[in-house]
Amino acid sequence: MAYILNIETATKNCSIALAKDGKTVLCKEMAELGYSHAEKLHVFIEECLQEFQMNFNDLSAIAVSQGPGSYTGLRIGVSAAKGLCFALDIPLISVDTLQVLASQLSISDGVIVPMIDARRMEVYSAIFNSKNEKIREVQAQIIDENSFLESQETIHFVGDCSEKARTVLTAPNFVFYEDVIYPSAKEMSALSFQKWVANDFEDVAYFEPYYLKDFLIQSKSIS
């Protein structure tokens, strides 16, 4: 039996999920205009464990959303995850943030394109098939009226940049889901358990988030 604490802080959504053998048993999350991760993250973790009547020592592993996303959000989540792993001497698991976002959608045809806002007309994106398998790697791309036109199949867009993307992505095979905005730790549960079963762990001492763009590391503002 594996109890995994999943931490998702790559966007404005501060999200924690406690999972048992890949199934979410408790989730606490809050998405605000301002980033409240530093104030909410540890409170949510403690509340989840208390409500499920668990101790930290009952945890089998910590899973964290690896990025891409907000530099500040990723740093807070990864720092918390690594600290817990060191203190409890348990494994660290990383999960692709865009796969977490894509996992909120089930489709029978076409592909899913999860997008995270990277300011102006730039987004972090990847492409997943109907089995939630990545078929195009993560990119930082500037979207315009020619983006994704090479595909004739239905493209399902999710993420926090639907509003700006819809102004330029207007092909009839493009579908937007305005209710799927941020990645959630709820969707991390199955993904992190798969890695737990495969013993696919990170080196706690050397693991770093996937920022994708180096200049974000030097930015003083929150993306």
Side-chain angles (χ1 to χ4, degrees), residues 146-173:
N146 296 313
S147 299
F148 304 103
L149 288 181
E150 67 277 4
S151 176
Q152 299 302 311
E153 59 186 336
T154 303
I155 301 181
H156 306 267
F157 292 98
V158 295
D160 63 352
C161 36
S162 290
E163 185 175 348
K164 72 178 184 182
R166 292 181 72 156
T167 63
V168 294
L169 301 179
T170 58
N173 59 315

Side-chain angles (χ1 to χ4, degrees), residues 30-158:
M30 178 181 292
E32 297 182 327
L33 292 179
Y35 284 71
S36 59
H37 301 358
E39 294 80 16
K40 300 294 185 183
L41 179 60
H42 290 283
V43 174
F44 286 170
I45 292 172
E46 292 180 0
E47 288 178 350
C48 274
L49 293 175
Q50 289 174 1
E51 289 181 26
F52 201 66
Q53 298 183 342
M54 282 184 62
N55 296 315
F56 281 98
N57 289 331
D58 296 321
L59 294 173
S60 306
I62 307 295
V64 67
S65 182
Q66 69 183 26
S70 156
Y71 169 72
T72 302
L74 289 170
R75 292 303 301 175
I76 291 172
V78 169
S79 295
K82 292 174 72 170
L84 287 170
C85 288
F86 272 123
L88 301 172
D89 192 25
I90 57 177
L92 174 66
I93 299 169
S94 68
V95 181
D96 185 328
T97 302
L98 289 171
Q99 187 173 23
V100 175
L101 181 54
S103 296
Q104 295 187 52
L105 200 64
S106 295
I107 61 172
S108 58
D109 67 303
V111 297
I112 302 173
V113 177
M115 298 190 297
I116 293 176
D117 195 0
R119 296 181 176 179
R120 300 184 179 89
M121 294 307 291
E122 190 168 23
V123 301
Y124 303 131
S125 70
I127 301 178
F128 294 83
N129 62 21
S130 59
K131 297 179 181 179
N132 200 28
E133 298 168 335
K134 188 185 294 182
I135 58 176
R136 198 214 70 192
E137 288 300 321
V138 179
Q139 294 181 5
Q141 65 179 127
I142 296 174
I143 55 173
D144 58 29
E145 61 275 6
N146 296 313
S147 299
F148 304 103
L149 288 181
E150 67 277 4
S151 176
Q152 299 302 311
E153 59 186 336
T154 303
I155 301 181
H156 306 267
F157 292 98
V158 295

Side-chain angles (χ1 to χ4, degrees), residues 167-181:
T167 63
V168 294
L169 301 179
T170 58
N173 59 315
F174 294 168
V175 181
F176 290 86
Y177 295 80
E178 296 181 355
D179 57 335
V180 183
I181 302 173

